[in-house]
Amino acid sequence: MTILSPALRRASAAGLALAAACLTASPTSATATARPTAGHERAAATAGHAQGAGLDRYYRQRPVWGSCVQGPGDRTGHDLAKAGVRCADVTVPLDYADPGGRTITVAVSRLKATDTRHRIGSILLNNGGPGGPALESPPDIRTAMKEAGPRYDIIGFDPRFVGRSTPLDCHWPVGTSVLAAGLGRDSFERQVALQKGLADKCRATNASVLPYISTRNTARDMDVIRGVLGERKISYLGYSYGTYLGTVYTQMFPGRFDRTVLDGALAPDDYNPRLLRGAEPENERALSAWAAWAARRDGAYGLGRSRAAVLATVHRIVVASGRGPLTVGTAPHAYRLDDTQVPSLLVAGIADDTSRQRATLAEQLSVLARAASGRPTRLSPEFTEVLRGMLTGDDAKSPAAQSAIICGDKPAPRDPEGYWRDIERHRARHPLFGPLTRNIGPCAFWDRPREAPTKVHRDAPALIVAATGDPRATYKSSRALHALLPSSKLLTLKGAHRHGLYGEYGNACVDGEVNRYLATGKLPENDLTCVKRAD
């Protein structure tokens, strides 16, 4: 799952290569009406709601496809237009139990199939998050799909309250809620106050919609999109959190999905308000692998000539930030980083083991090492964007939506003392990452979810893609999902510390197997293993 703001993801290349910053308005030239359309699916909008119980009008919408451009400064819209993508808004009920009540819009994009003679159908995309937009993704996915791409209508969408889909803005002062508890009790108490304040801000500004922001409602929106597109079944490609969303869809709407790819997959029990809890060993191994890489390049980064020396430098930076916030950068781009924030920066940087991202993290740690020695240096534009996105509220819509979805899906423990005891139990074994993975978050102060989480009780054929060293959705978690779906097949990339593979990582074996499945609809006879290529 992605855990940082869009600006931080872009600049650090952490997690998946997701969309650009969230946009705040829906396409003015792309609205959906409620006119009946012959041949469209007349399906119920959700498991648990009766067929036709006021929901038919949503399924019968005829989307009006128009330009994705929202204005002269809309670079995303202009890029989509150049690629031939068109956009529309689809109207859905805020509350599926009250289909005659308040409505919201979900922004959808479509890159139509060009090989219409061999057209397979529509494939719906989700980039993870939660709270990751995918409106802009169809051109990149068409490229990744190679020969199979022209045979699909490729459909991107921004989930409800994300991006162009009635976006949620809680006016958060920070760009991420995923922070560490710090080195001592005082830092933890500041975290309790911060996280409670974030929850309070969402409740004060958006109380009327928070109960309806959930994965189950996003899955219901997906099925409306399927019906609006006139598809009996829809294919799906989901990354990270998107694998959980895809799994939920297969359980709520059996028989309505076709080819399904789940990349960086999470078992349902591993998706919860503390997203990284239990992944401490994988993050430590990823950090250690990066440290060995940096040690071989000590001449460039000065972090240490051995793996142990680089890790000692990391420890020195964290300890220094605990004594007092580090001054990073120089005016006018100077920021303050403390012991609750430095571990988040590290976690962001180790979810991608490509040389480019490893160099980015090494450059950032070089700056932090100088700051820890009292020698702040001028920041690069890229690192400036990372810190701005992390430490300010300039780009805080996506993390607020992320928390709203997670907190709306599953309850979190509420007693701060329970979190503190958990942190202290894990600090000795995992001194760097334990205080982050076990820390308190906004969900401890959120209202309880309106619905129970989805249980997996139906089999679903799917291709599950996983890296053995994934520090986000662990390989163990992907294997657990594979066991819950006996008809699925597991495509393993051995030796990679990477979250998100297909079309992102450049492994020809992984891309080829996924494209073979998307082109033929046939899963491999057995689980498959690919091997990471040498840098």
Side-chain angles (χ1 to χ4, degrees):
M1 70 298 300
T2 57
I3 63 169
L4 300 168
S5 71
L8 187 50
R9 286 195 303 266
R10 288 197 308 275
S12 67
L16 300 176
L18 296 187
C22 292
L23 304 174
T24 58
S26 298
T28 56
S29 62
T31 58
T33 63
R35 299 191 298 273
T37 305
H40 276 60
E41 186 74 15
R42 303 296 196 266
T46 172
H49 291 291
Q51 178 105 15
L55 295 165
D56 283 353
R57 69 186 182 100
Y58 298 103
Y59 279 81
R60 292 172 180 167
Q61 292 175 79
R62 178 179 296 165
V64 180
W65 297 100
S67 173
C68 300
V69 179
Q70 295 186 319
D74 180 10
R75 197 169 77 184
T76 296
H78 284 290
D79 289 344
L80 290 173
K82 289 178 183 177
V85 178
R86 306 288 276 174
C87 288
D89 278 351
V90 171
T91 300
V92 297
L94 174 67
D95 178 3
Y96 276 84
D98 181 21
R102 180 177 171 183
T103 64
I104 58 174
T105 58
V106 174
V108 180
S109 62
R110 180 176 69 177
L111 184 57
K112 292 193 70 174
T114 54
D115 185 359
T116 55
R117 183 177 178 182
H118 302 101
R119 182 181 180 274
I120 294 170
S122 294
I123 184 167
L124 192 63
L125 312 177
N126 183 274
N127 284 326
L135 193 84
E136 67 181 33
S137 296
D140 289 338
I141 296 302
R142 166 129 329 154
T143 299
M145 290 171 71
K146 298 185 178 177
E147 289 82 3
R151 299 176 63 191
Y152 283 91
D153 285 359
I154 304 177
I155 310 297
F157 79 108
D158 290 350
R160 57 172 50 204
F161 298 102
V162 172
R164 300 189 186 192
S165 296
T166 318
L168 180 77
D169 188 355
C170 293
H171 306 292
W172 279 9
V174 293
T176 180
S177 64
V178 183
L179 298 163
L183 299 181
R185 183 72 192 216
D186 288 346
S187 294
F188 174 71
E189 291 297 341
R190 290 195 300 272
Q191 278 296 297
V192 173
L194 171 67
Q195 303 291 351
K196 183 179 185 300
L198 297 179
D200 289 345
K201 283 182 179 294
C202 277
R203 190 177 295 108
T205 55
N206 291 277
S208 65
V209 300
L210 292 181
Y212 311 104
I213 306 176
S214 69
T215 296
R216 287 178 64 83
N217 277 331
T218 299
R220 291 168 177 136
D221 296 343
M222 285 168 53
D223 201 58
V224 170
I225 292 170
R226 176 199 57 78
V228 167
L229 294 173
E231 301 285 6
R232 187 177 64 86
K233 295 184 177 183
I234 197 162
S235 295
Y236 179 79
L237 168 62
Y239 295 90
S240 191
Y241 157 81
T243 67
Y244 176 73
L245 172 61
T247 301
V248 169
Y249 184 82
T250 68
Q251 302 303 298
M252 293 179 66
F253 299 97
R256 300 182 194 174
F257 59 92
D258 190 10
R259 301 162 203 198
T260 301
V261 179
L262 307 177
D263 188 332
L266 280 165
D269 286 347
D270 293 330
Y271 169 74
N272 59 69
R274 286 187 282 181
L275 287 171
L276 294 176
R277 188 177 62 167
E280 297 91 354
E282 287 79 6
N283 279 274
E284 287 165 352
R285 286 192 288 270
L287 180 64
S288 180
W290 167 81
W293 182 95
R296 294 193 296 271
R297 295 157 179 82
D298 182 59
Y301 305 112
L303 297 172
R305 296 182 179 180
S306 68
R307 183 198 309 256
V310 174
L311 293 175
T313 299
V314 172
H315 176 73
R316 177 172 64 84
I317 292 168
V318 175
V319 170
S321 71
R323 289 195 295 264
L326 306 180
T327 299
V328 182
T330 56
H333 301 298
Y335 298 89
R336 305 269 282 172
L337 276 174
D338 65 21
D339 54 339
T340 70
Q341 297 155 337
V342 171
S344 294
L345 198 64
L346 290 166
V347 163
I350 59 175
D352 182 347
D353 65 1
T354 60
S355 292
R356 179 177 179 181
Q357 174 53 25
R358 283 178 163 174
T360 296
L361 182 59
E363 290 165 3
Q364 293 173 357
L365 266 292
S366 294
V367 171
L368 294 186
R370 289 192 289 272
S373 299
R375 296 180 291 117
T377 57
R378 185 177 180 181
L379 297 175
S380 68
E382 293 77 18
F383 199 13
T384 298
E385 185 180 5
V386 168
L387 296 176
R388 182 193 64 81
M390 180 179 182
L391 302 175
T392 74
D394 293 351
D395 195 13
K397 292 186 179 68
S398 182
Q402 179 183 77
S403 290
I405 296 166
I406 298 171
C407 303
D409 284 340
K410 292 189 177 182
R414 306 188 79 81
D415 180 15
E417 288 303 317
Y419 288 90
W420 178 248
R421 289 192 295 270
D422 196 25
I423 291 163
E424 290 298 278
R425 279 194 299 269
H426 288 83
R427 192 187 296 275
R429 184 182 301 177
H430 308 293
L432 179 58
F433 294 118
L436 185 148
T437 63
R438 307 282 164 164
N439 195 24
I440 198 167
C443 296
F445 308 99
W446 218 267
D447 294 340
R448 296 286 181 175
R450 289 173 63 93
E451 293 187 83
T454 300
K455 297 292 185 182
V456 175
H457 55 84
R458 294 186 175 96
D459 192 8
L463 184 61
I464 298 173
V465 184
T468 55
D470 188 337
R472 292 287 186 276
T474 66
Y475 188 57
K476 179 181 178 181
S477 192
S478 295
R479 291 176 61 189
L481 178 61
H482 179 35
L484 288 172
L485 304 175
S487 295
S488 67
K489 293 293 184 268
L490 181 62
L491 175 59
T492 297
L493 180 60
K494 188 176 180 180
H497 300 281
R498 165 72 189 207
H499 184 55
L501 298 173
Y502 171 67
E504 303 267 351
Y505 194 55
N507 185 274
C509 176
V510 168
D511 291 353
E513 292 297 339
V514 173
N515 285 335
R516 186 175 295 109
Y517 168 57
L518 292 175
T520 66
K522 296 179 180 179
L523 287 167
E525 291 187 9
N526 301 296
D527 294 341
L528 300 174
T529 298
C530 299
V531 178
K532 178 191 173 183
R533 67 182 184 183
D535 285 335

